[in-house]
Amino acid sequence: MTIQRALTIAGSAARGGAGIQADLKTFQEFDVFGTTAVTAIVARNPRTGQGIFPQSWDAIEAQLVTIEKDIGVDALKTGMLFTKEIIENVAYWIKQTAIQNIVVDPVMIGKMGSALVKEDAMESMKNQLIPLATLITPNMPEASYLLGGTELNTVEDLKEAARHLMKLGSQYVLVKGGRLTGPAIDVLCDGQQFYLLEAPRIDTIHTNGAGCSYSAAITAGLAKGQNVPEAVMEAKKFITAGIRYSLTFKAGVGPTYHAAYGKYDETDCKVTIEQM
Ligand code: PXL
């Protein structure tokens, strides 16, 4: 039997709700075969204060090479890459492959407050990785940062941000409006039209890993041959269900519930298309 394959190049989040762990759980829900290249281990040690343990490029490259050689990749996503060196090497590696479906989640700060990228790395993200992307998936702070600090407060601002972010060279931009007030509206842009994806706002703080899981769901859809708008729409339903049924454990911001996909109410999400 064969099955489509999705690769995540991202950090390991020991708490289980974000990063590689969220990506694998999501791939499983979408029935694609997940593979992983771990860039860093994220787990705060209260005794030492240390929370991020990056892997050497040798270790990351070994994972990428063995996955490509033995398994294959129908789509990949990048999450936490952390350093300029990792970003530049990953971009170089992607260029050597024939991989077509590339989702770049420009992860910057986790919901638990950790800085997930070094400050000097964002330029490489902008100039070397994003131009290779089929789709980038910034949230509002990430979009604002990539645009040099523009404030984003409304859906109109998200559309304007998406329009400008297209200039960085990806084929599509998805700016996620999770931090708006009112409904949870994300703006997908293909350079000609805006797709406004709207879901009800769910009143919870427990959204750890929501961005990771959303971009992983999109990656799974692309691996299965969906086009970007189809994959994003389905992923929006998945993440809305995941947030609606999000989990609370002993402490901190709880994760979204990946297995909630089946509980999704079809009437919940809608898409509106506008010409740019
Ligand atoms: O949700 C952002 C994120 C991405 N990657 C890793 C993380 C987090 C947040 O906790 O730990 C590895």
CSV table of all heavy atoms in Angstrom, one decimal, residues 4 9 12-13 24 51 60 62 71 91 100 109 142 151 163 165-166 174 178 211 216 220-221 271 276:
chain,number,residue,atom,x,y,z
A,4,GLN,N,0.4,9.2,0.9
A,4,GLN,CA,1.1,10.4,0.7
A,4,GLN,C,1.9,10.7,1.9
A,4,GLN,O,1.6,10.3,3.1
A,4,GLN,CB,0.2,11.6,0.4
A,4,GLN,CG,-0.2,11.7,-1.0
A,4,GLN,CD,-1.3,10.7,-1.5
A,4,GLN,OE1,-2.1,10.3,-0.7
A,4,GLN,NE2,-1.2,10.3,-2.7
A,9,ILE,N,9.8,20.1,9.2
A,9,ILE,CA,11.1,20.5,9.7
A,9,ILE,C,10.9,21.5,10.8
A,9,ILE,O,10.5,22.7,10.5
A,9,ILE,CB,11.9,21.1,8.5
A,9,ILE,CG1,11.9,20.2,7.3
A,9,ILE,CG2,13.4,21.5,9.0
A,9,ILE,CD1,12.6,20.9,6.0
A,12,SER,N,11.0,20.2,18.4
A,12,SER,CA,10.3,19.3,19.2
A,12,SER,C,9.7,20.0,20.5
A,12,SER,O,10.5,20.6,21.2
A,12,SER,CB,11.2,18.1,19.7
A,12,SER,OG,10.6,17.5,20.8
A,13,ALA,N,8.4,20.0,20.7
A,13,ALA,CA,7.8,20.6,21.8
A,13,ALA,C,7.4,19.5,22.8
A,13,ALA,O,6.4,18.8,22.6
A,13,ALA,CB,6.6,21.4,21.4
A,24,LEU,N,2.8,15.9,13.7
A,24,LEU,CA,2.6,14.4,13.5
A,24,LEU,C,1.2,14.0,13.8
A,24,LEU,O,0.6,13.2,13.1
A,24,LEU,CB,3.6,13.6,14.4
A,24,LEU,CG,5.0,13.4,13.8
A,24,LEU,CD1,5.8,12.5,14.8
A,24,LEU,CD2,5.0,12.7,12.4
A,51,GLY,N,15.7,26.6,27.9
A,51,GLY,CA,14.5,26.1,27.3
A,51,GLY,C,14.7,25.6,25.9
A,51,GLY,O,13.8,24.9,25.4
A,60,ILE,N,20.5,17.7,11.6
A,60,ILE,CA,19.3,18.0,10.8
A,60,ILE,C,19.5,17.5,9.4
A,60,ILE,O,18.5,16.9,8.9
A,60,ILE,CB,19.1,19.6,10.8
A,60,ILE,CG1,18.9,20.1,12.3
A,60,ILE,CG2,17.9,19.9,10.0
A,60,ILE,CD1,19.0,21.6,12.4
A,62,ALA,N,21.2,15.0,8.3
A,62,ALA,CA,21.1,13.5,8.3
A,62,ALA,C,19.6,13.1,8.3
A,62,ALA,O,19.2,12.2,7.5
A,62,ALA,CB,21.7,12.9,9.6
A,71,ILE,N,12.1,7.5,2.1
A,71,ILE,CA,10.6,7.7,2.2
A,71,ILE,C,10.0,8.5,1.1
A,71,ILE,O,9.1,8.1,0.4
A,71,ILE,CB,10.2,8.3,3.6
A,71,ILE,CG1,10.9,7.6,4.7
A,71,ILE,CG2,8.7,8.3,3.7
A,71,ILE,CD1,10.5,6.1,4.9
A,91,ALA,N,17.0,26.2,3.4
A,91,ALA,CA,16.6,26.8,2.1
A,91,ALA,C,17.5,26.2,1.0
A,91,ALA,O,17.0,25.8,-0.1
A,91,ALA,CB,16.8,28.3,2.1
A,100,GLN,N,7.7,20.1,-4.4
A,100,GLN,CA,6.8,21.2,-4.9
A,100,GLN,C,6.0,21.9,-3.9
A,100,GLN,O,5.7,23.1,-4.1
A,100,GLN,CB,5.8,20.5,-5.9
A,100,GLN,CG,6.5,19.9,-7.1
A,100,GLN,CD,7.1,20.9,-8.0
A,100,GLN,OE1,6.6,22.0,-8.2
A,100,GLN,NE2,8.3,20.6,-8.5
A,109,ILE,N,7.3,33.4,18.1
A,109,ILE,CA,7.2,33.4,19.6
A,109,ILE,C,6.1,32.4,19.9
A,109,ILE,O,5.0,32.4,19.4
A,109,ILE,CB,6.8,34.8,20.2
A,109,ILE,CG1,7.9,35.8,19.8
A,109,ILE,CG2,6.6,34.7,21.7
A,109,ILE,CD1,7.6,37.2,20.2
A,142,GLU,N,3.7,38.1,13.5
A,142,GLU,CA,4.7,37.7,12.5
A,142,GLU,C,4.6,38.5,11.2
A,142,GLU,O,5.6,39.0,10.6
A,142,GLU,CB,4.6,36.2,12.2
A,142,GLU,CG,5.0,35.3,13.3
A,142,GLU,CD,4.4,33.9,13.4
A,142,GLU,OE1,3.6,33.6,12.5
A,142,GLU,OE2,4.8,33.2,14.3
A,151,GLU,N,1.3,48.2,12.1
A,151,GLU,CA,0.3,47.7,13.0
A,151,GLU,C,-0.9,47.1,12.3
A,151,GLU,O,-1.3,47.7,11.3
A,151,GLU,CB,-0.2,48.9,13.8
A,151,GLU,CG,0.4,49.0,15.2
A,151,GLU,CD,-0.5,49.8,16.1
A,151,GLU,OE1,-1.7,49.5,16.2
A,151,GLU,OE2,0.0,50.7,16.8
A,163,ARG,N,-1.3,41.5,0.8
A,163,ARG,CA,-0.9,42.1,-0.5
A,163,ARG,C,0.6,42.4,-0.5
A,163,ARG,O,1.3,42.1,-1.4
A,163,ARG,CB,-1.8,43.4,-0.7
A,163,ARG,CG,-1.5,44.1,-2.1
A,163,ARG,CD,-1.9,45.5,-2.0
A,163,ARG,NE,-3.3,45.8,-1.6
A,163,ARG,CZ,-4.3,45.7,-2.4
A,163,ARG,NH1,-4.2,45.4,-3.7
A,163,ARG,NH2,-5.6,45.9,-1.9
A,165,LEU,N,2.9,41.2,1.6
A,165,LEU,CA,3.8,40.1,1.9
A,165,LEU,C,4.0,39.2,0.6
A,165,LEU,O,5.0,38.5,0.5
A,165,LEU,CB,3.2,39.2,3.0
A,165,LEU,CG,3.3,39.8,4.4
A,165,LEU,CD1,2.5,39.1,5.4
A,165,LEU,CD2,4.8,39.8,4.8
A,166,MET,N,3.0,39.3,-0.3
A,166,MET,CA,3.2,38.6,-1.6
A,166,MET,C,4.5,39.0,-2.3
A,166,MET,O,5.1,38.3,-3.1
A,166,MET,CB,2.0,38.9,-2.6
A,166,MET,CG,0.7,38.2,-2.2
A,166,MET,SD,0.8,36.4,-2.4
A,166,MET,CE,0.9,36.1,-4.1
A,174,LEU,N,-1.1,33.5,3.7
A,174,LEU,CA,-2.2,33.4,4.6
A,174,LEU,C,-1.9,34.2,5.9
A,174,LEU,O,-1.0,33.8,6.6
A,174,LEU,CB,-2.5,31.9,5.0
A,174,LEU,CG,-3.6,31.6,6.0
A,174,LEU,CD1,-5.0,32.0,5.4
A,174,LEU,CD2,-3.6,30.2,6.4
A,178,GLY,N,-6.2,35.5,14.2
A,178,GLY,CA,-6.6,34.9,15.5
A,178,GLY,C,-6.6,36.0,16.6
A,178,GLY,O,-7.3,35.9,17.6
A,211,GLY,N,-1.1,27.4,15.6
A,211,GLY,CA,-0.5,27.7,14.3
A,211,GLY,C,0.2,26.6,13.7
A,211,GLY,O,0.1,26.3,12.5
A,216,ALA,N,0.3,22.4,9.5
A,216,ALA,CA,0.4,21.0,9.3
A,216,ALA,C,-0.7,20.4,8.5
A,216,ALA,O,-0.6,19.6,7.6
A,216,ALA,CB,0.6,20.2,10.6
A,220,ALA,N,-0.7,18.7,4.9
A,220,ALA,CA,-1.3,17.3,4.6
A,220,ALA,C,-2.2,17.4,3.4
A,220,ALA,O,-2.2,16.5,2.5
A,220,ALA,CB,-2.1,16.9,5.8
A,221,GLY,N,-3.0,18.5,3.3
A,221,GLY,CA,-3.9,18.6,2.1
A,221,GLY,C,-3.2,18.7,0.8
A,221,GLY,O,-3.5,18.1,-0.2
A,271,VAL,N,-16.3,30.9,3.6
A,271,VAL,CA,-15.3,31.5,2.8
A,271,VAL,C,-16.0,32.5,1.8
A,271,VAL,O,-17.0,32.2,1.3
A,271,VAL,CB,-14.4,30.5,2.0
A,271,VAL,CG1,-15.2,29.7,1.0
A,271,VAL,CG2,-13.2,31.2,1.3
A,276,MET,N,-8.9,41.5,-5.7
A,276,MET,CA,-7.9,42.4,-5.1
A,276,MET,C,-8.1,43.8,-5.6
A,276,MET,O,-8.4,44.0,-6.8
A,276,MET,CB,-6.5,41.9,-5.3
A,276,MET,CG,-6.0,41.0,-4.3
A,276,MET,SD,-4.4,40.4,-4.6
A,276,MET,CE,-3.4,41.8,-4.1
